[in-house]
Structure formats: structure tokens, C-alpha cells
Amino acid sequence: GQQVMQIPQYQHVQEGEDFTTYCNSSTTLSNIQWYKQRPGGHPVFLIQLVKSGEVKKQKRLTFQFGEAKKNSSLHITATQTTDVGTYFCAGPYNQGGKLIFGQGTELSVKP
Amino acid sequence: SAVISQKPSRDICQRGTSLTIQCQVDSQVTMMFWYRQQPGQSLTLIATANQGSEATYESGFVIDKFPISRPNLTFSTLTVSNMSPEDSSIYLCSVRDLRTDTQYFGPGTRLTVL
């Protein structure tokens, strides 16, 4: 069946360092979404990418959708302690708004 | 954006009992879903809650174990039946806003089964 894989599972960085998480789908996606879950919190929608090769930025966060629409990445420049949490990518499957989530990348930032 | 509330926020239950979780949305939404997040894991879709009809369950989830109601476009319940320790998870209600094409999650219900 359709799978969404995400690496790395964990990333520990020093504050100020950059961070990247990668997402790969076994099938072509119509769109890909990114979520952030703070420790003890619930997933919060960050962004949706739709177009092949699309790049979107939110302050220090840069999101990219691959040309083949099967992979995506999230890059954070100069991490801060407020960036701590788990970042999930998710893609739609079948129809009806259902999402399949990657395993998530847990980011910890050492001040 | 849709504001979602869930009750209870957390509970500790005994094996063999059942718990009903409520999800309330502040606006009418067409698409409503229930997800499970086991400790340290990703989110897994349990079912799509359909208004006025039976929920659509994903592979590995059955109605007898996770009965779902959705009497209107702003409310749904998920029951975790005959609980075992393996059901200890966070259960999350989620809605999709078709106008903004954005998905929102409720705060979750943290369930511990002893």
C-alpha cells in the first residue's frame, strides 16, 4: 500500500544550526502537507505544497516539493529553542481528505 | 480557522471498560476524522466520521471496537470499547476545511488503560 517515509527520526542540534527533514512517498502525491507537534501538544498545520518543484518560505522555514511530486523537505535555518517538536509530513490517499502521515522527525535544540 | 474541542482531555481507565470521546467544532465541516497516535509514534487514521451515516473505517479498525457517531456537521463521538492496555494512545479528532484546504486537529484525548 501507499507509504510515506520520513528521515531522520531524531535530530539533535545546537541552537543556531540548520535542520532538514526529508519526506518520500511511494506514490505521486497531489499535494503534501507539513505539521508541527510540540511536546505534549497536537499537530498544527504549517503548510501545503501543490505544484511540482514548489518552494515556499515561512520566516526561517523553507518547504520544497519535488519535481516528481513524490518527495518533500523542510529546512529550518538557524534553529531556535522554539523550533523544538516533531515535524510530520502527510500526503492524501484515496479520496475524501484522508491523510497518511510520515513517521515524523523529532527535533531537539540545545541552547 | 476551525476551533476544535475534545472531551475528556485525558482519562485513566480500567481494562474491559469503554470510553466515549467527544469532538466539537465551532463551525460546520463536511470532513471529520478520528486519528490515533500511540506513544512516540505517528498518526494513524481510524475512520472518517460521516454525518448521518455509518463511519468509514480504515484497515485494522472495526466498528465494534471503535463505534463512531456523527449526528450533525459540528459534533462527533468516538468510543473505545472493551479497552486493553494496547489502546493507550492519544485520540485526535480532525477536520478538513474545504474552503482553505487546511486540516485542523483537536487537542487530543490522552487515554491510559490499566
Side-chain angles (χ1 to χ4, degrees), chain B residues 20-61:
Chain B
T20 296
I21 302 167
Q22 298 180 6
C23 175
Q24 180 74 54
V25 189
D26 69 341
S27 58
Q28 293 187 339
V29 291
T30 305
M31 297 182 177
M32 186 179 284
F33 310 92
W34 286 98
Y35 285 83
R36 180 175 74 182
Q37 186 175 29
Q38 295 178 303
Q41 302 296 313
S42 186
L43 291 86
T44 301
L45 180 63
I46 297 172
T48 302
N50 301 308
Q51 192 262 331
S53 65
E54 195 169 282
T56 305
Y57 290 84
E58 298 300 309
S59 175
F61 298 96

Side-chain angles (χ1 to χ4, degrees), chain B residues 4 7-8 12 15 19 24 26 52 59 62 69-70 75 87 93 97 104 108 110 112:
Chain B
I4 306 171
K7 289 195 293 187
I12 301 174
R15 172 196 302 262
L19 176 72
Q24 180 74 54
D26 69 341
S59 175
V62 294
S69 78
R70 190 170 176 198
F75 184 80
D87 294 320
C93 174
D97 185 331
Y104 299 96
R110 286 156 177 78
T112 302

Side-chain angles (χ1 to χ4, degrees), chain A residues 15-58:
Chain A
E15 188 172 22
E17 292 181 339
D18 292 355
F19 159 78
T20 305
T21 173
Y22 300 92
C23 183
N24 288 284
S25 170
S26 59
T27 60
T28 301
L29 300 171
S30 59
N31 67 76
I32 194 155
Q33 301 167 32
W34 285 91
Y35 294 80
K36 177 183 179 181
Q37 185 174 24
R38 294 182 186 274
H42 60 278
V44 174
F45 177 86
L46 293 177
I47 208 162
Q48 176 174 271
L49 304 171
V50 178
K51 299 176 184 176
S52 169
E54 188 171 15
V55 177
K56 286 188 177 180
K57 291 191 175 184
Q58 289 180 351

Side-chain angles (χ1 to χ4, degrees), chain B residues 8 10 13 15 29-30 33 42 62 73 79 95 98 113-114:
Chain B
R10 60 179 66 241
C13 300
R15 172 196 302 262
V29 291
T30 305
F33 310 92
S42 186
V62 294
L73 292 177
T79 299
V95 303
L98 294 179
V113 184
L114 302 177

Side-chain angles (χ1 to χ4, degrees), chain A residues 4-7 20-25 29 31-34 47-49 54 62-67 69-75 89-90:
Chain A
V4 174
M5 295 147 285
Q6 203 173 338
I7 57 169
T20 305
T21 173
Y22 300 92
C23 183
N24 288 284
S25 170
L29 300 171
N31 67 76
I32 194 155
Q33 301 167 32
W34 285 91
I47 208 162
Q48 176 174 271
L49 304 171
E54 188 171 15
T62 302
F63 303 85
Q64 191 164 8
F65 201 10
E67 293 290 341
K69 301 183 75 172
K70 295 180 71 173
N71 58 74
S72 181
S73 64
L74 158 59
H75 179 84
C89 63

